[in-house]
Amino acid sequence: MIALLKRDLVLALRAGGGFGLGLAFFLIVTVLVPFSVGPQSALLGTIAPGVLWLGALLACLLSLDRLLALDWEDGTLDLLATAPLPLESVVTIKALAHWLATGLPLVLAAPVLGVLLNLPGPGFLWMVISLALGTPALSVIGTFGAALTVGLKRGGLLLSLLVLPLYVPTLIYGAEVARRGAEGMTVATPLMMLAGISAAVIALLPFASAAVLRVNLR
């Protein structure tokens, strides 16, 4: 399992879907927003949690189309399906590799980019906490979407259409945690909902992804 995780991390960094692309997109979104809404500091501070969360979500989406496609193209996916390692574990490792290569760098970069959007001081900690809780769910959901579309021509567009609606609850509660934290309000309810969504997704979707892969590999 460790060897598979290392391999997927190397592939993620070499195949153009690593942390560099996600961070670059995250930075571009953060820099362009002040140009589009104007230099009003109060307005930027108000929308900063939502903008940062939306940027992180779209950055996670960028590399999903290659998550399983590379293994499909070179036949590795067929070998993994017949290996002693359960396919559910393979899917989980791939989701973990995607989060380490894409989600974790976004979590670490969010406070720095929050400065550009005039994020209020109390919101920095809650932004990091919400992204740390929510981005694993984005990776697992994205892996499920990649399993559904693996082997399809132009599957990247279909993958985006399938995954984006599933991302909405995580986006809503993640941004709400950061917004309430920035305004000094209680965050218990959205934080528990966000944690519950992530826990449910991580517990259930690897089995669904493995089942879909078995169908696609027949």
Side-chain angles (χ1 to χ4, degrees):
M1 293 179 66
I2 299 300
L4 180 60
L5 178 61
K6 291 180 179 178
R7 171 187 174 275
D8 286 343
L9 286 174
V10 171
L11 286 177
L13 296 176
R14 291 181 178 177
F19 66 92
L21 180 61
L23 284 178
F25 183 85
F26 200 19
L27 175 62
I28 290 172
V29 170
T30 305
V31 170
L32 289 181
V33 166
F35 289 107
S36 63
V37 302
Q40 297 92 341
S41 298
L43 177 59
L44 288 175
T46 302
I47 67 174
V51 170
L52 290 172
W53 248 99
L54 182 60
L57 184 151
L58 295 176
C60 286
L61 191 65
L62 285 178
S63 58
L64 291 180
D65 61 332
R66 306 301 292 171
L67 188 59
L68 295 174
L70 294 176
D71 290 337
W72 170 273
E73 292 168 359
D74 62 12
T76 302
L77 202 55
D78 295 293
L79 295 177
L80 291 174
T82 58
L85 188 66
L87 198 54
E88 291 81 3
S89 299
V90 172
V91 171
T92 302
I93 292 171
K94 288 189 171 295
L96 176 60
H98 179 270
W99 182 78
L100 290 174
T102 305
L104 182 58
L106 297 178
V107 174
L108 299 177
V112 178
L113 299 182
V115 176
L116 300 178
L117 294 177
N118 197 36
L119 181 68
F124 285 90
L125 176 61
W126 291 112
M127 175 59 66
V128 172
I129 292 175
S130 65
L131 286 174
L133 278 177
T135 49
L138 301 183
S139 293
V140 175
I141 294 172
T143 304
F144 174 68
L148 284 172
T149 59
V150 67
L152 297 179
K153 294 182 178 179
R154 298 180 180 178
L157 178 59
L158 179 60
L159 173 60
S160 300
L161 294 176
L162 289 173
V163 167
L164 279 175
L166 300 177
Y167 276 175
V168 171
T170 304
L171 172 65
I172 291 174
Y173 288 112
E176 185 68 7
V177 169
R179 184 190 67 81
R180 290 194 180 191
E183 295 178 359
M185 301 169 61
T186 177
V187 301
T189 300
L191 187 65
M192 291 174 60
M193 292 297 297
L194 180 62
I197 291 172
S198 295
V201 164
I202 293 171
L204 298 176
L205 277 191
F207 295 96
S209 301
V212 169
L213 279 180
R214 291 188 180 97
V215 173
N216 288 336
L217 291 174
R218 289 178 182 175

